[in-house]
Amino acid sequence: VTLLDINNSVPADLYKQDIEGKFPYKLTDTFMGFHCGNTSSLCMKNCSIKYQLIQARLMGKDITKGTLEGQIAPGDATMFRLQSSADAKLASYIAEGRFLDVDPCSFGSIGVVAIPGFARFYRHVLVQKRFPHHGAFGFAKCGGILFESLKLLGVEDVSAPLPATALYPSENPFG
């Protein structure tokens, strides 16, 4: 499992060059899963120890040694988060997808992620329910097990991506 930012989009030119026609995903199904270097080398396609680029710009290389950077290995993935509100209500989301075998052309521990219907899910679940921009990523499809575990724990608010034919509760039925 690793923790990644989920708020970075795939550039249109990278999508056209490396994803469109090669994978069954729209641009709006894709995003960059990124963090500064916390992903295990066992989950990376390629990696090396580097300076953390953002911090090195601000503080110099002597302070920022030791981040593991590279492309996350392609394969199945499950994005997950469980959190509590200020009034102790638990909410969660689960989304299954894939890390694509696409060079993200960036730094950090990073991979191009594809989750069908991601743009709608992001807007109507992650943003509207105020989930932070970090999510846990498992390197397998394990949504079913996570969902059943959350039911056993009594978590009532569990969201998942909906097909295009189903509306989210907050979604405008008139488009």
Side-chain angles (χ1 to χ4, degrees):
V1 173
T2 193
L3 178 73
L4 299 173
D5 289 21
I6 54 176
N7 59 339
N8 297 307
S9 58
V10 170
D13 60 337
L14 179 68
Y15 174 81
K16 284 208 168 289
Q17 177 182 320
D18 293 329
I19 300 171
E20 187 175 51
K22 299 174 186 167
F23 298 98
Y25 304 107
K26 298 180 288 188
L27 175 61
T28 55
D29 294 336
T30 64
F31 63 96
M32 297 286 196
F34 162 84
H35 217 273
C36 294
N38 65 337
T39 301
S40 167
S41 62
L42 298 175
C43 301
M44 306 288 278
K45 178 178 179 179
N46 54 52
C47 60
S48 60
I49 297 292
K50 295 185 178 181
Y51 297 103
Q52 202 293 311
L53 184 64
I54 297 169
Q55 292 177 353
R57 288 179 188 151
L58 299 172
M59 299 181 291
K61 291 182 178 180
D62 292 336
I63 295 174
T64 62
K65 293 178 182 172
T67 58
L68 186 65
E69 298 192 30
Q71 181 181 339
I72 296 174
D76 290 339
T78 300
M79 183 174 76
F80 172 75
R81 185 161 186 117
L82 172 64
Q83 68 183 32
S84 175
S85 63
D87 59 351
K89 302 281 187 210
L90 291 175
S92 182
Y93 65 75
I94 304 166
E96 292 183 331
R98 295 192 57 77
F99 284 98
L100 301 181
D101 194 4
V102 172
D103 182 355
C105 302
S106 192
F107 66 96
S109 294
I110 188 167
V112 175
V113 182
I115 295 174
F118 181 74
R120 288 177 58 234
F121 177 69
Y122 185 85
R123 177 180 177 191
H124 293 285
V125 174
L126 277 64
V127 173
Q128 287 189 356
K129 292 186 175 190
R130 298 182 178 149
F131 283 102
H133 70 279
H134 291 110
F137 285 78
F139 295 91
K141 288 193 176 179
C142 51
I145 293 168
L146 287 168
F147 184 82
E148 293 300 326
S149 299
L150 292 170
K151 280 183 9 184
L152 288 171
L153 292 172
V155 180
E156 296 175 6
D157 185 359
V158 180
S159 298
L162 296 177
T165 56
L167 295 177
Y168 290 95
S170 61
E171 196 166 11
N172 183 342
F174 301 102

